[in-house]
């Protein structure tokens, strides 16, 4: 992600569901993401170069388990299978340091996210600090 991406990211968070789950986003978030060195915020585009996903990754310096910190799909293109493609693109991106597994934390009231991670084959490990912890070995 680069600063210019803010032009399309900000309007995505006008969507009530996305804003409720991951927002609201402010420029403070943008500055934090741009300065981050222990992970990355990745933009996934379709074949025409249009952004379809935004995914935050926190890297484990020990290489045990990297984490998906946030995952957003273009709000007006939801429920057509893009989430699966976005996640796959992020996990196979060759810029990540090596790790043995991936984890994601999901708010227990976010049924759609829980169902998504289960549907793409991630294992529900239970509650961790009041969040569902999903994992996938590499």
């Amino acid at each position: 992600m680069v600063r210019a991406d803010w032009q399309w990211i900000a309007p995505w968070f006008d969507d009530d569901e996305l804003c409720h789950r991951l927002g609201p986003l402010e420029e403070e978030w943008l500055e934090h993401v741009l300065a981050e060195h222990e992970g990355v915020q990745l933009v996934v585009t379709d074949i025409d170069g249009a952004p379809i996903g935004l995914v935050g990754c926190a890297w484990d310096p020990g290489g045990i388990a990297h984490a998906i910190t946030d995952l957003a799909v273009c709000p007006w293109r939801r429920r057509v299978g893009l989430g699966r493609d976005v996640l796959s693109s992020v996990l196979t991106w060759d810029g990540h340091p090596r790790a043995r597994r991936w984890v994601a934390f999901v708010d227990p009231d976010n049924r759609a996210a829980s169902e998504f991670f289960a549907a793409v084959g991630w294992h529900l490990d239970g509650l961790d600090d009041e969040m569902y912890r999903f994992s996938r070995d590499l």
Side-chain angles (χ1 to χ4, degrees):
M1 187 184 109
V2 296
R3 185 174 302 281
D5 290 321
W6 186 251
Q7 295 174 42
W8 60 263
I9 293 170
W12 278 20
F13 284 82
D14 289 340
D15 176 77
D16 290 339
E17 179 69 12
L18 192 54
C19 185
H20 172 70
R21 296 297 178 191
L22 296 178
L25 288 190
E26 299 169 346
E27 290 204 29
E28 181 179 317
W29 173 86
L30 173 65
E31 296 306 323
H32 169 76
V33 167
L34 293 175
E36 180 62 53
H37 297 291
E38 296 176 1
V40 66
Q41 193 78 26
L42 294 173
V43 174
V44 180
T45 60
D46 65 14
I47 197 158
D48 297 322
I52 59 169
L54 182 66
V55 182
C57 304
W59 294 326
D60 176 359
I64 305 295
H66 296 328
I68 299 294
T69 59
D70 55 87
L71 189 151
V73 172
C74 177
W76 44 91
R77 295 179 65 184
R78 271 194 204 115
R79 313 274 187 267
V80 296
L82 290 179
R84 183 180 301 266
D85 295 340
V86 165
L87 185 59
S88 177
S89 293
V90 166
L91 297 180
T92 58
W93 180 61
D94 63 1
H96 297 298
R98 288 187 175 269
R100 291 186 290 204
R101 69 185 347 203
W102 280 90
V103 297
F105 296 92
V106 175
D107 191 315
D109 76 344
N110 191 342
R111 185 176 174 184
S114 292
E115 289 174 354
F116 168 75
F117 280 105
V120 296
W122 288 47
H123 180 261
L124 175 58
D125 297 327
L127 283 174
D128 184 342
D129 200 20
E130 299 184 25
M131 300 284 277
Y132 287 138
R133 177 187 167 116
F134 286 85
S135 64
R136 176 184 174 207
D137 290 334
L138 297 179

